[in-house]
Amino acid sequence: METKVIRGGRLLDITSHSAPYCDILVRGDSIAEIGPPGLASPEGAAQIDATGRLMHAGLMNGHTHSHGNLSKGTGDRWTLELLLTAGPWITGGRQTEEKYLSTLIGACEMLLKGCTGCYDLMVEFPTPSTEGVAAVSKAYADVGMRAVVAPMVADISFFEAIPGLMDALPPALQKDVERLRLAPYETTLANLEAVVKGWSYDREAIRPAVAPTIPLHCSDDFMMGCRDLARGHGLGLHSHVSESKVQVVSGLKVYGKTLTSHIDSLGLLGPDFTVAHGVWLDDDDMRLLGDHGASVSHNPGSNALLGNGIADTRRMLEFGVNLAIGTDGASCCDHQNMYESMRVASYVSHVRGPEWQRWLKPEEILRAATEGSAKALGFERCGRIEPGYKADIVFLDLGAINWIPVNDPVNQLVHTEDGSSVHSVMVGGRMVVENRRVVGVDLVALAADAERVAEKLKGVNTPNRALYDRLESIVGSFCPGLARQPFHINRFGAH
Ligand SMILES: [Zn+2]
């Protein structure tokens, strides 16, 4: 088995907020030994010079959407519901090449910004395909990044899911949105089954999962079908739960209970279940999630951009919820930068109130963005730099301006680092970013491909754009009306 020894670097120690000089011996894809400078290494071990570098465990993105990378920056003042309305416009008409390309753009951005694994809720309309999932998985494999590829599925369209919304549309628009109908759930479950049965990647690197997108968008039979499929094959489950106030108000109307108690009654909650966002979870919801050992991917940048509010992460931790951190898709966060997600996670916990002891600590945020996310993704032995763990290591340039001077490396990683100091990245013992370049990827060629494809998609999606323009004012007034209805908790920044 190939051995490598990393010498001369400083290793981040989260507990003591320090970064002592350490050598690291890597055997195969894992860390074999860590010791003071001068660590003995087997003859023939490759030497990696980490002089002037700070080493930290690869960040893990708890929630993203690969299809968003071709549409970054498209919207500005979009609520979640307007974003969902814009879905056919900004992600429609994709062929296999575009699915691959969109994923590759995000994978490169994540690696260049110190992130070595992600939970990708990719979408295909009207149902997932083995070719589409293969294209997305191949992009991660090509750059050597870990990923959970979770087809995001539904059998109820957004317009059918929000009570009263369809009736609020004039008949001509009702007819137009009817063509946004999704495949029957039996078809989608069969397609998911085919994806899982044909899986060819090592599950320690790239694994499948099942993502019933939003409970309101999935019939109960479909939710239970997803549950059985996931549990039968040992896969993760991931869903957007209580992301917006529109969702929680609609959930009460449709189910007569919170979305979390609804999916609990369907038997979905468990240690393999990840809630995306969870902004509008109440205490009982969080207790249920904690008791089931479930995870929440906290995506604070997206929650702020889409106006969904501020999640109560301190309360989640108090109820024993496993906290992960994510960016969300590039069309609702506009980047794939986990350093920024960590910083925003810190800031929004501060603006919840003056009780500073309840604000998240930088070490809690860093643990959530590494170990917490790794747990949500289902990657064991990831998220720490310790013997027995996978060798997923980010090397930051301590000569970069963010680190002059080094005072408290944990605080600086969360509050100061912006990704610009990432010099190289190792995943599973293999260097995948070297000297600020993704190994094997030509960004100039990638940019040319992206330009060409974006232009093509713009043409293809012109009718979808026109449909969005006709829907914007109706969805944009109906949904905020729902969000103004009373609910027993408040997560908005102001009343
Ligand atoms: Zn999402």
PDB file of all heavy atoms in Angstrom, residues 22-58:
ATOM      1  N   CYS A  22       3.199  19.321  13.151  1.00  0.00           N
ATOM      2  CA  CYS A  22       2.991  17.874  13.182  1.00  0.00           C
ATOM      3  C   CYS A  22       3.373  17.274  11.847  1.00  0.00           C
ATOM      4  O   CYS A  22       3.209  17.904  10.807  1.00  0.00           O
ATOM      5  CB  CYS A  22       1.507  17.540  13.395  1.00  0.00           C
ATOM      6  SG  CYS A  22       0.953  17.729  15.075  1.00  0.00           S
ATOM      7  N   ASP A  23       3.842  16.028  11.864  1.00  0.00           N
ATOM      8  CA  ASP A  23       3.995  15.249  10.637  1.00  0.00           C
ATOM      9  C   ASP A  23       2.864  14.224  10.595  1.00  0.00           C
ATOM     10  O   ASP A  23       2.406  13.752  11.642  1.00  0.00           O
ATOM     11  CB  ASP A  23       5.355  14.530  10.619  1.00  0.00           C
ATOM     12  CG  ASP A  23       6.517  15.512  10.435  1.00  0.00           C
ATOM     13  OD1 ASP A  23       6.242  16.712  10.210  1.00  0.00           O
ATOM     14  OD2 ASP A  23       7.681  15.077  10.538  1.00  0.00           O
ATOM     15  N   ILE A  24       2.433  13.909   9.387  1.00  0.00           N
ATOM     16  CA  ILE A  24       1.306  12.973   9.223  1.00  0.00           C
ATOM     17  C   ILE A  24       1.723  11.872   8.252  1.00  0.00           C
ATOM     18  O   ILE A  24       2.184  12.153   7.138  1.00  0.00           O
ATOM     19  CB  ILE A  24       0.059  13.693   8.666  1.00  0.00           C
ATOM     20  CG1 ILE A  24      -0.376  14.820   9.615  1.00  0.00           C
ATOM     21  CG2 ILE A  24      -1.086  12.702   8.446  1.00  0.00           C
ATOM     22  CD1 ILE A  24      -1.539  15.665   9.079  1.00  0.00           C
ATOM     23  N   LEU A  25       1.546  10.628   8.690  1.00  0.00           N
ATOM     24  CA  LEU A  25       1.830   9.493   7.807  1.00  0.00           C
ATOM     25  C   LEU A  25       0.507   8.992   7.229  1.00  0.00           C
ATOM     26  O   LEU A  25      -0.448   8.710   7.966  1.00  0.00           O
ATOM     27  CB  LEU A  25       2.518   8.372   8.606  1.00  0.00           C
ATOM     28  CG  LEU A  25       2.928   7.148   7.788  1.00  0.00           C
ATOM     29  CD1 LEU A  25       4.061   7.479   6.817  1.00  0.00           C
ATOM     30  CD2 LEU A  25       3.355   6.004   8.716  1.00  0.00           C
ATOM     31  N   VAL A  26       0.464   8.927   5.897  1.00  0.00           N
ATOM     32  CA  VAL A  26      -0.743   8.476   5.200  1.00  0.00           C
ATOM     33  C   VAL A  26      -0.449   7.130   4.546  1.00  0.00           C
ATOM     34  O   VAL A  26       0.547   6.984   3.833  1.00  0.00           O
ATOM     35  CB  VAL A  26      -1.158   9.507   4.116  1.00  0.00           C
ATOM     36  CG1 VAL A  26      -2.344   8.984   3.293  1.00  0.00           C
ATOM     37  CG2 VAL A  26      -1.490  10.847   4.749  1.00  0.00           C
ATOM     38  N   ARG A  27      -1.294   6.166   4.857  1.00  0.00           N
ATOM     39  CA  ARG A  27      -1.133   4.856   4.212  1.00  0.00           C
ATOM     40  C   ARG A  27      -2.402   4.571   3.412  1.00  0.00           C
ATOM     41  O   ARG A  27      -3.496   4.562   3.975  1.00  0.00           O
ATOM     42  CB  ARG A  27      -0.890   3.777   5.271  1.00  0.00           C
ATOM     43  CG  ARG A  27      -0.484   2.441   4.677  1.00  0.00           C
ATOM     44  CD  ARG A  27      -0.034   1.439   5.731  1.00  0.00           C
ATOM     45  NE  ARG A  27       1.244   1.789   6.328  1.00  0.00           N
ATOM     46  CZ  ARG A  27       1.461   1.947   7.641  1.00  0.00           C
ATOM     47  NH1 ARG A  27       0.472   1.786   8.498  1.00  0.00           N
ATOM     48  NH2 ARG A  27       2.656   2.248   8.109  1.00  0.00           N
ATOM     49  N   GLY A  28      -2.249   4.384   2.102  1.00  0.00           N
ATOM     50  CA  GLY A  28      -3.435   4.190   1.247  1.00  0.00           C
ATOM     51  C   GLY A  28      -4.302   5.439   1.291  1.00  0.00           C
ATOM     52  O   GLY A  28      -3.824   6.540   1.062  1.00  0.00           O
ATOM     53  N   ASP A  29      -5.576   5.262   1.644  1.00  0.00           N
ATOM     54  CA  ASP A  29      -6.475   6.422   1.662  1.00  0.00           C
ATOM     55  C   ASP A  29      -6.684   6.984   3.066  1.00  0.00           C
ATOM     56  O   ASP A  29      -7.505   7.869   3.261  1.00  0.00           O
ATOM     57  CB  ASP A  29      -7.827   6.051   1.028  1.00  0.00           C
ATOM     58  CG  ASP A  29      -8.607   5.031   1.859  1.00  0.00           C
ATOM     59  OD1 ASP A  29      -8.067   4.529   2.872  1.00  0.00           O
ATOM     60  OD2 ASP A  29      -9.763   4.745   1.501  1.00  0.00           O
ATOM     61  N   SER A  30      -5.937   6.467   4.054  1.00  0.00           N
ATOM     62  CA  SER A  30      -6.216   6.852   5.444  1.00  0.00           C
ATOM     63  C   SER A  30      -4.988   7.378   6.178  1.00  0.00           C
ATOM     64  O   SER A  30      -3.853   7.151   5.753  1.00  0.00           O
ATOM     65  CB  SER A  30      -6.778   5.648   6.212  1.00  0.00           C
ATOM     66  OG  SER A  30      -7.981   5.217   5.633  1.00  0.00           O
ATOM     67  N   ILE A  31      -5.269   8.059   7.268  1.00  0.00           N
ATOM     68  CA  ILE A  31      -4.192   8.565   8.119  1.00  0.00           C
ATOM     69  C   ILE A  31      -3.723   7.420   9.026  1.00  0.00           C
ATOM     70  O   ILE A  31      -4.537   6.810   9.716  1.00  0.00           O
ATOM     71  CB  ILE A  31      -4.701   9.761   8.957  1.00  0.00           C
ATOM     72  CG1 ILE A  31      -5.046  10.923   8.013  1.00  0.00           C
ATOM     73  CG2 ILE A  31      -3.679  10.173  10.003  1.00  0.00           C
ATOM     74  CD1 ILE A  31      -5.911  11.987   8.644  1.00  0.00           C
ATOM     75  N   ALA A  32      -2.432   7.126   8.975  1.00  0.00           N
ATOM     76  CA  ALA A  32      -1.902   6.008   9.763  1.00  0.00           C
ATOM     77  C   ALA A  32      -1.353   6.496  11.097  1.00  0.00           C
ATOM     78  O   ALA A  32      -1.525   5.847  12.132  1.00  0.00           O
ATOM     79  CB  ALA A  32      -0.812   5.284   8.977  1.00  0.00           C
ATOM     80  N   GLU A  33      -0.689   7.651  11.068  1.00  0.00           N
ATOM     81  CA  GLU A  33      -0.006   8.098  12.286  1.00  0.00           C
ATOM     82  C   GLU A  33       0.188   9.607  12.242  1.00  0.00           C
ATOM     83  O   GLU A  33       0.376  10.186  11.164  1.00  0.00           O
ATOM     84  CB  GLU A  33       1.366   7.411  12.338  1.00  0.00           C
ATOM     85  CG  GLU A  33       1.912   7.194  13.725  1.00  0.00           C
ATOM     86  CD  GLU A  33       3.280   6.504  13.702  1.00  0.00           C
ATOM     87  OE1 GLU A  33       3.547   5.717  12.753  1.00  0.00           O
ATOM     88  OE2 GLU A  33       4.083   6.778  14.604  1.00  0.00           O
ATOM     89  N   ILE A  34       0.141  10.244  13.414  1.00  0.00           N
ATOM     90  CA  ILE A  34       0.435  11.678  13.517  1.00  0.00           C
ATOM     91  C   ILE A  34       1.449  11.839  14.647  1.00  0.00           C
ATOM     92  O   ILE A  34       1.288  11.237  15.712  1.00  0.00           O
ATOM     93  CB  ILE A  34      -0.849  12.487  13.838  1.00  0.00           C
ATOM     94  CG1 ILE A  34      -1.893  12.293  12.723  1.00  0.00           C
ATOM     95  CG2 ILE A  34      -0.525  13.970  14.018  1.00  0.00           C
ATOM     96  CD1 ILE A  34      -3.242  12.925  13.020  1.00  0.00           C
ATOM     97  N   GLY A  35       2.478  12.620  14.408  1.00  0.00           N
ATOM     98  CA  GLY A  35       3.478  12.779  15.458  1.00  0.00           C
ATOM     99  C   GLY A  35       4.229  14.083  15.313  1.00  0.00           C
ATOM    100  O   GLY A  35       4.014  14.835  14.347  1.00  0.00           O
ATOM    101  N   PRO A  36       5.098  14.373  16.288  1.00  0.00           N
ATOM    102  CA  PRO A  36       5.890  15.596  16.220  1.00  0.00           C
ATOM    103  C   PRO A  36       6.840  15.571  15.018  1.00  0.00           C
ATOM    104  O   PRO A  36       7.081  14.502  14.457  1.00  0.00           O
ATOM    105  CB  PRO A  36       6.663  15.604  17.547  1.00  0.00           C
ATOM    106  CG  PRO A  36       6.594  14.217  18.066  1.00  0.00           C
ATOM    107  CD  PRO A  36       5.387  13.566  17.471  1.00  0.00           C
ATOM    108  N   PRO A  37       7.357  16.737  14.617  1.00  0.00           N
ATOM    109  CA  PRO A  37       8.268  16.784  13.464  1.00  0.00           C
ATOM    110  C   PRO A  37       9.380  15.742  13.603  1.00  0.00           C
ATOM    111  O   PRO A  37       9.890  15.512  14.701  1.00  0.00           O
ATOM    112  CB  PRO A  37       8.831  18.208  13.522  1.00  0.00           C
ATOM    113  CG  PRO A  37       7.756  18.997  14.208  1.00  0.00           C
ATOM    114  CD  PRO A  37       7.126  18.073  15.204  1.00  0.00           C
ATOM    115  N   GLY A  38       9.684  15.112  12.463  1.00  0.00           N
ATOM    116  CA  GLY A  38      10.702  14.060  12.489  1.00  0.00           C
ATOM    117  C   GLY A  38      10.100  12.676  12.613  1.00  0.00           C
ATOM    118  O   GLY A  38      10.814  11.697  12.823  1.00  0.00           O
ATOM    119  N   LEU A  39       8.788  12.568  12.446  1.00  0.00           N
ATOM    120  CA  LEU A  39       8.092  11.278  12.529  1.00  0.00           C
ATOM    121  C   LEU A  39       8.765  10.257  11.602  1.00  0.00           C
ATOM    122  O   LEU A  39       9.044  10.559  10.447  1.00  0.00           O
ATOM    123  CB  LEU A  39       6.631  11.483  12.090  1.00  0.00           C
ATOM    124  CG  LEU A  39       5.697  10.275  12.147  1.00  0.00           C
ATOM    125  CD1 LEU A  39       5.358   9.912  13.589  1.00  0.00           C
ATOM    126  CD2 LEU A  39       4.409  10.572  11.377  1.00  0.00           C
ATOM    127  N   ALA A  40       9.025   9.063  12.146  1.00  0.00           N
ATOM    128  CA  ALA A  40       9.647   8.007  11.334  1.00  0.00           C
ATOM    129  C   ALA A  40       8.684   7.584  10.229  1.00  0.00           C
ATOM    130  O   ALA A  40       7.474   7.515  10.450  1.00  0.00           O
ATOM    131  CB  ALA A  40       9.979   6.809  12.229  1.00  0.00           C
ATOM    132  N   SER A  41       9.228   7.364   9.045  1.00  0.00           N
ATOM    133  CA  SER A  41       8.357   6.930   7.947  1.00  0.00           C
ATOM    134  C   SER A  41       9.007   5.762   7.226  1.00  0.00           C
ATOM    135  O   SER A  41      10.239   5.651   7.198  1.00  0.00           O
ATOM    136  CB  SER A  41       8.109   8.076   6.971  1.00  0.00           C
ATOM    137  OG  SER A  41       9.310   8.504   6.390  1.00  0.00           O
ATOM    138  N   PRO A  42       8.201   4.874   6.656  1.00  0.00           N
ATOM    139  CA  PRO A  42       8.776   3.712   5.973  1.00  0.00           C
ATOM    140  C   PRO A  42       9.631   4.124   4.785  1.00  0.00           C
ATOM    141  O   PRO A  42       9.384   5.171   4.179  1.00  0.00           O
ATOM    142  CB  PRO A  42       7.542   2.935   5.505  1.00  0.00           C
ATOM    143  CG  PRO A  42       6.348   3.660   5.966  1.00  0.00           C
ATOM    144  CD  PRO A  42       6.746   4.946   6.575  1.00  0.00           C
ATOM    145  N   GLU A  43      10.575   3.306   4.470  1.00  0.00           N
ATOM    146  CA  GLU A  43      11.455   3.590   3.335  1.00  0.00           C
ATOM    147  C   GLU A  43      10.614   3.667   2.058  1.00  0.00           C
ATOM    148  O   GLU A  43       9.694   2.878   1.868  1.00  0.00           O
ATOM    149  CB  GLU A  43      12.480   2.452   3.196  1.00  0.00           C
ATOM    150  CG  GLU A  43      13.754   2.894   2.500  1.00  0.00           C
ATOM    151  CD  GLU A  43      14.801   1.789   2.505  1.00  0.00           C
ATOM    152  OE1 GLU A  43      15.011   1.174   3.576  1.00  0.00           O
ATOM    153  OE2 GLU A  43      15.359   1.553   1.437  1.00  0.00           O
ATOM    154  N   GLY A  44      10.909   4.634   1.239  1.00  0.00           N
ATOM    155  CA  GLY A  44      10.186   4.764  -0.026  1.00  0.00           C
ATOM    156  C   GLY A  44       8.916   5.581   0.081  1.00  0.00           C
ATOM    157  O   GLY A  44       8.231   5.794  -0.923  1.00  0.00           O
ATOM    158  N   ALA A  45       8.551   6.042   1.304  1.00  0.00           N
ATOM    159  CA  ALA A  45       7.333   6.849   1.446  1.00  0.00           C
ATOM    160  C   ALA A  45       7.523   8.174   0.710  1.00  0.00           C
ATOM    161  O   ALA A  45       8.564   8.809   0.811  1.00  0.00           O
ATOM    162  CB  ALA A  45       7.048   7.113   2.925  1.00  0.00           C
ATOM    163  N   ALA A  46       6.503   8.562  -0.060  1.00  0.00           N
ATOM    164  CA  ALA A  46       6.581   9.850  -0.765  1.00  0.00           C
ATOM    165  C   ALA A  46       6.552  10.979   0.263  1.00  0.00           C
ATOM    166  O   ALA A  46       5.838  10.899   1.263  1.00  0.00           O
ATOM    167  CB  ALA A  46       5.403   9.963  -1.730  1.00  0.00           C
ATOM    168  N   GLN A  47       7.328  12.023   0.020  1.00  0.00           N
ATOM    169  CA  GLN A  47       7.409  13.147   0.959  1.00  0.00           C
ATOM    170  C   GLN A  47       6.558  14.300   0.426  1.00  0.00           C
ATOM    171  O   GLN A  47       6.678  14.682  -0.738  1.00  0.00           O
ATOM    172  CB  GLN A  47       8.863  13.625   1.087  1.00  0.00           C
ATOM    173  CG  GLN A  47       9.871  12.535   1.452  1.00  0.00           C
ATOM    174  CD  GLN A  47       9.868  12.201   2.940  1.00  0.00           C
ATOM    175  OE1 GLN A  47       9.808  13.104   3.776  1.00  0.00           O
ATOM    176  NE2 GLN A  47       9.931  10.922   3.279  1.00  0.00           N
ATOM    177  N   ILE A  48       5.710  14.846   1.285  1.00  0.00           N
ATOM    178  CA  ILE A  48       4.916  16.017   0.901  1.00  0.00           C
ATOM    179  C   ILE A  48       5.335  17.169   1.817  1.00  0.00           C
ATOM    180  O   ILE A  48       5.254  17.051   3.042  1.00  0.00           O
ATOM    181  CB  ILE A  48       3.407  15.740   1.027  1.00  0.00           C
ATOM    182  CG1 ILE A  48       2.987  14.653   0.029  1.00  0.00           C
ATOM    183  CG2 ILE A  48       2.587  17.015   0.806  1.00  0.00           C
ATOM    184  CD1 ILE A  48       1.556  14.185   0.158  1.00  0.00           C
ATOM    185  N   ASP A  49       5.785  18.238   1.205  1.00  0.00           N
ATOM    186  CA  ASP A  49       6.271  19.380   1.992  1.00  0.00           C
ATOM    187  C   ASP A  49       5.095  20.303   2.316  1.00  0.00           C
ATOM    188  O   ASP A  49       4.468  20.867   1.412  1.00  0.00           O
ATOM    189  CB  ASP A  49       7.338  20.128   1.179  1.00  0.00           C
ATOM    190  CG  ASP A  49       7.910  21.310   1.961  1.00  0.00           C
ATOM    191  OD1 ASP A  49       7.673  21.385   3.194  1.00  0.00           O
ATOM    192  OD2 ASP A  49       8.594  22.150   1.343  1.00  0.00           O
ATOM    193  N   ALA A  50       4.808  20.445   3.605  1.00  0.00           N
ATOM    194  CA  ALA A  50       3.697  21.305   4.025  1.00  0.00           C
ATOM    195  C   ALA A  50       4.212  22.513   4.814  1.00  0.00           C
ATOM    196  O   ALA A  50       3.482  23.096   5.618  1.00  0.00           O
ATOM    197  CB  ALA A  50       2.692  20.504   4.847  1.00  0.00           C
ATOM    198  N   THR A  51       5.452  22.887   4.550  1.00  0.00           N
ATOM    199  CA  THR A  51       6.025  24.053   5.238  1.00  0.00           C
ATOM    200  C   THR A  51       5.185  25.297   4.937  1.00  0.00           C
ATOM    201  O   THR A  51       4.830  25.546   3.784  1.00  0.00           O
ATOM    202  CB  THR A  51       7.471  24.285   4.751  1.00  0.00           C
ATOM    203  OG1 THR A  51       8.194  23.072   4.905  1.00  0.00           O
ATOM    204  CG2 THR A  51       8.148  25.391   5.545  1.00  0.00           C
ATOM    205  N   GLY A  52       4.865  26.042   5.986  1.00  0.00           N
ATOM    206  CA  GLY A  52       4.080  27.263   5.786  1.00  0.00           C
ATOM    207  C   GLY A  52       2.602  26.996   5.560  1.00  0.00           C
ATOM    208  O   GLY A  52       1.862  27.877   5.111  1.00  0.00           O
ATOM    209  N   ARG A  53       2.144  25.766   5.877  1.00  0.00           N
ATOM    210  CA  ARG A  53       0.727  25.429   5.659  1.00  0.00           C
ATOM    211  C   ARG A  53       0.032  25.133   6.991  1.00  0.00           C
ATOM    212  O   ARG A  53       0.621  24.534   7.888  1.00  0.00           O
ATOM    213  CB  ARG A  53       0.585  24.178   4.780  1.00  0.00           C
ATOM    214  CG  ARG A  53       1.365  24.230   3.495  1.00  0.00           C
ATOM    215  CD  ARG A  53       0.619  24.924   2.376  1.00  0.00           C
ATOM    216  NE  ARG A  53       1.468  24.930   1.203  1.00  0.00           N
ATOM    217  CZ  ARG A  53       2.146  26.010   0.783  1.00  0.00           C
ATOM    218  NH1 ARG A  53       2.047  27.158   1.420  1.00  0.00           N
ATOM    219  NH2 ARG A  53       2.921  25.932  -0.281  1.00  0.00           N
ATOM    220  N   LEU A  54      -1.257  25.494   7.022  1.00  0.00           N
ATOM    221  CA  LEU A  54      -2.124  25.056   8.113  1.00  0.00           C
ATOM    222  C   LEU A  54      -2.981  23.924   7.564  1.00  0.00           C
ATOM    223  O   LEU A  54      -3.609  24.073   6.507  1.00  0.00           O
ATOM    224  CB  LEU A  54      -3.029  26.212   8.583  1.00  0.00           C
ATOM    225  CG  LEU A  54      -4.072  25.829   9.639  1.00  0.00           C
ATOM    226  CD1 LEU A  54      -3.402  25.549  10.989  1.00  0.00           C
ATOM    227  CD2 LEU A  54      -5.111  26.936   9.812  1.00  0.00           C
ATOM    228  N   MET A  55      -3.028  22.814   8.285  1.00  0.00           N
ATOM    229  CA  MET A  55      -3.791  21.653   7.798  1.00  0.00           C
ATOM    230  C   MET A  55      -5.062  21.511   8.624  1.00  0.00           C
ATOM    231  O   MET A  55      -5.026  21.514   9.855  1.00  0.00           O
ATOM    232  CB  MET A  55      -2.930  20.390   7.936  1.00  0.00           C
ATOM    233  CG  MET A  55      -1.603  20.499   7.167  1.00  0.00           C
ATOM    234  SD  MET A  55      -0.539  19.052   7.359  1.00  0.00           S
ATOM    235  CE  MET A  55       0.073  19.253   9.033  1.00  0.00           C
ATOM    236  N   HIS A  56      -6.186  21.428   7.919  1.00  0.00           N
ATOM    237  CA  HIS A  56      -7.446  21.150   8.630  1.00  0.00           C
ATOM    238  C   HIS A  56      -8.227  20.086   7.876  1.00  0.00           C
ATOM    239  O   HIS A  56      -8.010  19.865   6.677  1.00  0.00           O
ATOM    240  CB  HIS A  56      -8.267  22.434   8.842  1.00  0.00           C
ATOM    241  CG  HIS A  56      -8.916  23.024   7.625  1.00  0.00           C
ATOM    242  ND1 HIS A  56     -10.067  22.509   7.067  1.00  0.00           N
ATOM    243  CD2 HIS A  56      -8.581  24.105   6.858  1.00  0.00           C
ATOM    244  CE1 HIS A  56     -10.421  23.255   6.012  1.00  0.00           C
ATOM    245  NE2 HIS A  56      -9.532  24.221   5.857  1.00  0.00           N
ATOM    246  N   ALA A  57      -9.142  19.418   8.581  1.00  0.00           N
ATOM    247  CA  ALA A  57      -9.949  18.362   7.954  1.00  0.00           C
ATOM    248  C   ALA A  57     -10.795  18.973   6.849  1.00  0.00           C
ATOM    249  O   ALA A  57     -11.307  20.095   6.987  1.00  0.00           O
ATOM    250  CB  ALA A  57     -10.840  17.696   9.000  1.00  0.00           C
ATOM    251  N   GLY A  58     -10.949  18.241   5.750  1.00  0.00           N
ATOM    252  CA  GLY A  58     -11.764  18.726   4.644  1.00  0.00           C
ATOM    253  C   GLY A  58     -13.165  19.078   5.119  1.00  0.00           C
ATOM    254  O   GLY A  58     -13.775  18.339   5.892  1.00  0.00           O
TER     255      GLY A  58
END
